[in-house]
Amino acid sequence: MSDTTFIHGDRIELRPLEEGDIPHLVEAENHPEIRRHISSFRTPLSESTYREERWPPSDNGVTLAIVPKDEADSDKAIGSASVGNIQQPDGYGNFSIWLHPDAWGNGYALEAGAFLLDHAFRSHRLHRISATVAASNGASRRLCERLGFVEEGAARESWYLDDKHVDAVHYGLLEREWEGPASVLD
Amino acid sequence: MSDTTFIHGDRIELRPLEEGDIPHLVEAENHPEIRRHISSFRTPLSESTYREERWPPSDNGVTLAIVPKDEADSDKAIGSASVGNIQQPDGYGNFSIWLHPDAWGNGYALEAGAFLLDHAFRSHRLHRISATVAASNGASRRLCERLGFVEEGAARESWYLDDKHVDAVHYGLLEREWEGPASVLD
Amino acid sequence: MSDTTFIHGDRIELRPLEEGDIPHLVEAENHPEIRRHISSFRTPLSESTYREERWPPSDNGVTLAIVPKDEADSDKAIGSASVGNIQQPDGYGNFSIWLHPDAWGNGYALEAGAFLLDHAFRSHRLHRISATVAASNGASRRLCERLGFVEEGAARESWYLDDKHVDAVHYGLLEREWEGPASVLD
Amino acid sequence: MSDTTFIHGDRIELRPLEEGDIPHLVEAENHPEIRRHISSFRTPLSESTYREERWPPSDNGVTLAIVPKDEADSDKAIGSASVGNIQQPDGYGNFSIWLHPDAWGNGYALEAGAFLLDHAFRSHRLHRISATVAASNGASRRLCERLGFVEEGAARESWYLDDKHVDAVHYGLLEREWEGPASVLD
Amino acid sequence: MSDTTFIHGDRIELRPLEEGDIPHLVEAENHPEIRRHISSFRTPLSESTYREERWPPSDNGVTLAIVPKDEADSDKAIGSASVGNIQQPDGYGNFSIWLHPDAWGNGYALEAGAFLLDHAFRSHRLHRISATVAASNGASRRLCERLGFVEEGAARESWYLDDKHVDAVHYGLLEREWEGPASVLD
Amino acid sequence: MSDTTFIHGDRIELRPLEEGDIPHLVEAENHPEIRRHISSFRTPLSESTYREERWPPSDNGVTLAIVPKDEADSDKAIGSASVGNIQQPDGYGNFSIWLHPDAWGNGYALEAGAFLLDHAFRSHRLHRISATVAASNGASRRLCERLGFVEEGAARESWYLDDKHVDAVHYGLLEREWEGPASVLD
């Protein structure tokens, strides 16, 4: 496989999704630890459905696979990060990220998020990046806060997750508030 | 034209949009007083484009034309109201409404909104209805508040309107907070 | 308009639906007295949508417009009756009927139902015809009973109507139980 | 093949159907012990037809392959379970399940059914789940009863099976009646 | 016809193109005084071709018909103006305008251009608007200069017009250079 | 692979793009050193997207892969060069070229450019070839100058690259100014 790396981080690389990533993407969406915070993952996802309905990914935004550098012989994606639903001329985009639970606890999400946000602001002339997280999803909320997102309110009881309605917490980060990856990673 | 009235109010009737309404809908979207608060109306809309791209309206929700009762011989729509983007099983929908500026100041929007919200909660088993309004749009914000919506925060500088970025104010109304049209209209 | 009468009753005629009937069909589906017992009518229906999505009617069954004979100069449909979802070789079909509220109280539904059931059993080798009615719909339940349907149970809380779940009452009529229109109409 | 497990049970796992399952699915539908209770399986089914007409499976519901855990090296599906025909906003779904006859007698169906019902109620905000079983199908009727379904009546002589008409027995289970998998499996 | 005016000027109105404008648009493209400066108009244009290939107009930009106010009973377009080929996130657009020769000499183009440029900068968050004019087209060059465009160079001998190659003069106007319609029209 | 060489240079060969080149093309577009001067490369490109949306290449022009002769056993493309957007009868085309950064510094681009320009003038009756380069892209600007292009101006602040707007420098080369590859390469 050729080297399609788009962004070189310190411990991870970010490259476009390729068809060979589909099994990993499907495995993660079905994983109980992933889907319990994301209401749109309530229906089981098969590789066939993924190929038929979601491939290739829409190009209205930036979606990148996250690959750790120290897994030297492998190109295996452990997650993906995106700034999607880009609205121009508003300069608006929506940030989301997930890692396979086996890769949690290494700081990969923070690094991937920091480099992706920097790219999105610098290359796509975004004025603001939003993120929406279930109130029950502590890990994702801490990640947003470490990346510098400002909590702006919550849409009360918006999502039905595990037999109850939960709040959707809204975050926002303005271009003038973003100080670059170093401010987050150091 | 047959009587396709869906909801009978006191001073207005609500009926499905018909092709004959397109000229009024287009006129209103192009009207400077309407589009100055709605970033998606920044591109001029022609009747041809409306017919080609938006007709018939998507049926993922409830969209109704607003017709005053006292214009006896006429079936002319003066605006439209909708609860769209319905998400199930979450029980989530999004409220929006507009009136032609010539019809402002008569309380039509309040009555149309009250009857539509009541229908949406009672017939579509919604748990929550959202609304999003530009911070600069005082009339729509007052309408949401009179209908009982709770202000839940603002996505800072989300929309580009008239040479600057403005906040998008988020409102929410839960099924258990809704007490029926009479509580609003009396 | 040519005379396309399919079944001649005593006080009504049954003929195929024509495009000219669409305004009446749409008006009736939107009528609050009709839709309050039928959960699938919860979304407003426009003539445009009817033409685009439902016309021409599917031919897996028998659907007929109901026209009163005494409205001499008119061919106006006041309702429709069908035996649909025919399953062969099981010999199974599903009966449904509605009349515009202005035509209620004249016995038209009973006569239309009797002639249609007779036709369906005699021409389609049906072994059984089913009907399902909201428990709250007294008029339709009485009609089924006068036509000879046997109540066979209720699917508890199946439909969401006007802010609560209601039972769906199941009826069945076997070919050997059907004794012809005269036994019902006399 | 990646691990796409959606639900981890005690003795079985539930995962989405994949194309590799088609031969097993076709074998089962053609098996005399399966099809003798299901009228819609009366026509011989080929793999080609399955691929052409039924693949990928519709996503209006939850369909999962049943895989025993103790067949260590294998990912072979021994059956499938689904809650399909989901109707929203009614909160209505239809339960069905089958196992290959070679896997009968191990309690796999009970466990698969219990975990699937739990998921469907908790994630899809269902108010009621229905099941319909031929009166002659003792094993499936006992399964429904052990899962807590209430018998609500029978549509007399609805299906033509093995030279005679048999009753279709209707079952229903309400969300408030469901007490979780443990109440069934212990 | 309904009033679809998008921008109200002093002596002209700007509204979306409608199908009824096609004969005027075709007449103008074929007019010797128009096409002698525009190399892409060298092929005769029929109304049929226009309807087939160019209608409805692409919506990647802002295109408006120019209608004089003093032709009281008429809605006849005398020309059109557009900011097209909008590139985001660059914030780049391309200005063009034409009037039927019968309407020249009244200052309509200057007014239409000023209001359109203002709208494009204010509503589409453009950073720069370009224009390209044949060196031989004195009237259009003077118009660009009165609107505040800066001449930035010429692509030598780019277009073949009337038996010789002519230069294409490039103009640019930055958002920070634009001071509003009044600065141009007073 | 058969020898599809189209133009034989001294140190390179130019041949049509083949599907086997896609991984190299994708790798190069994602390479930070390539994309930092080209605003249209701001979105990550996957091989799947390339195959779906850009393959086969449009044939409105001349696009050739650049292959060094001294990599004897290989047919690997190290870049591509094109004269595209050919406009006839104006005799106008647009030149562009890129090399993978690993191949920079060998004079390959100069040789490829010289042979391609010669072919385009001689075979396509071009009157003029244009090139547009970001002001910040010193290497490409020097290449254009060595090939004989005349700098004709700059479209100020046209492209958004790495958090700021940069000028797009316009170059032009007329058929009568082109003296053949030898004049450039000697």
Side-chain angles (χ1 to χ4, degrees), chain A residues 23-24 26-27 30-32 35 41-49 52-53 160-165, chain D residues 1-8 16-19 55-56 59 61-64 119 121-125 175:
Chain A
H24 309 301
V26 169
E27 179 184 340
N30 285 335
H31 197 292
R35 66 181 162 84
F41 289 0
R42 61 168 63 87
T43 301
L45 177 68
S46 70
E47 293 185 23
S48 318
T49 301
E52 193 110 345
E53 294 177 9
Y160 189 78
L161 283 170
D162 199 22
D163 215 15
K164 61 180 174 300
H165 282 94
Chain D
M1 186 182 263
S2 61
D3 178 4
T4 61
T5 301
F6 190 76
I7 296 174
H8 293 265
L17 298 181
E18 293 295 349
E19 245 184 298
W55 194 261
D59 58 358
V62 181
T63 301
L64 291 162
H119 168 73
F121 279 122
R122 296 179 83 88
S123 297
H124 286 265
R125 198 187 168 214
E175 196 274 344

Side-chain angles (χ1 to χ4, degrees), chain F residues 1-73:
Chain F
M1 185 181 262
S2 61
D3 179 3
T4 60
T5 302
F6 190 75
I7 296 174
H8 292 267
D10 298 322
R11 301 172 55 218
I12 53 135
E13 289 180 344
L14 298 169
R15 61 158 175 75
L17 298 181
E18 296 294 347
E19 240 183 304
D21 296 322
I22 291 177
H24 310 300
L25 302 173
V26 168
E27 178 183 340
E29 280 204 24
N30 285 335
H31 197 293
E33 283 301 306
I34 299 284
R35 64 182 163 85
R36 77 190 178 97
H37 294 307
I38 301 181
S39 66
S40 60
F41 289 181
R42 61 169 64 87
T43 301
L45 178 68
S46 70
E47 293 184 23
S48 317
T49 300
Y50 199 103
R51 279 175 220 279
E52 193 110 346
E53 295 177 8
R54 301 219 213 148
W55 194 261
S58 120
D59 58 358
N60 182 26
V62 181
T63 300
L64 291 164
I66 304 168
V67 183
K69 280 187 169 175
D70 53 9
E71 302 202 13
D73 296 330

Side-chain angles (χ1 to χ4, degrees), chain B residues 6 14-17 25 50 57-65 80-84 96 116, chain C residues 43-46:
Chain B
F6 190 75
L14 298 170
R15 61 157 176 75
L17 299 182
L25 303 172
Y50 199 103
S58 122
D59 58 357
N60 182 27
V62 181
T63 301
L64 291 163
S80 94
S82 71
V83 174
S96 70
L116 174 60
Chain C
T43 302
L45 177 68
S46 70

Side-chain angles (χ1 to χ4, degrees), chain E residues 157-169:
Chain E
E157 305 185 18
S158 285
W159 293 337
Y160 190 77
L161 284 170
D162 197 23
D163 211 17
K164 61 180 174 299
H165 282 92
V166 301
D167 294 359
V169 183

Side-chain angles (χ1 to χ4, degrees), chain B residues 3 6 16 18 55 122-123, chain C residues 27 35 42 47-48 162-163:
Chain B
D3 177 5
F6 190 75
E18 293 295 347
W55 194 260
R122 296 180 82 89
S123 297
Chain C
E27 179 184 340
R35 64 182 165 84
R42 61 169 64 85
E47 293 184 24
S48 318
D162 198 22
D163 217 15

Side-chain angles (χ1 to χ4, degrees), chain A residues 121-133:
Chain A
F121 279 123
R122 295 179 83 87
S123 297
H124 287 265
R125 197 186 168 213
L126 296 187
H127 183 77
R128 169 200 165 91
I129 297 177
S130 297
T132 305
V133 180

Side-chain angles (χ1 to χ4, degrees), chain E residues 144-179:
Chain E
C144 285
E145 283 152 21
R146 291 187 62 187
L147 287 167
F149 281 92
V150 175
E151 187 175 331
E152 297 174 331
R156 298 170 301 147
E157 305 185 18
S158 285
W159 293 337
Y160 190 77
L161 284 170
D162 197 23
D163 211 17
K164 61 180 174 299
H165 282 92
V166 301
D167 294 359
V169 183
H170 289 306
Y171 292 92
L173 177 59
L174 301 179
E175 195 273 345
R176 67 175 174 270
E177 295 167 350
W178 175 247
E179 295 173 7

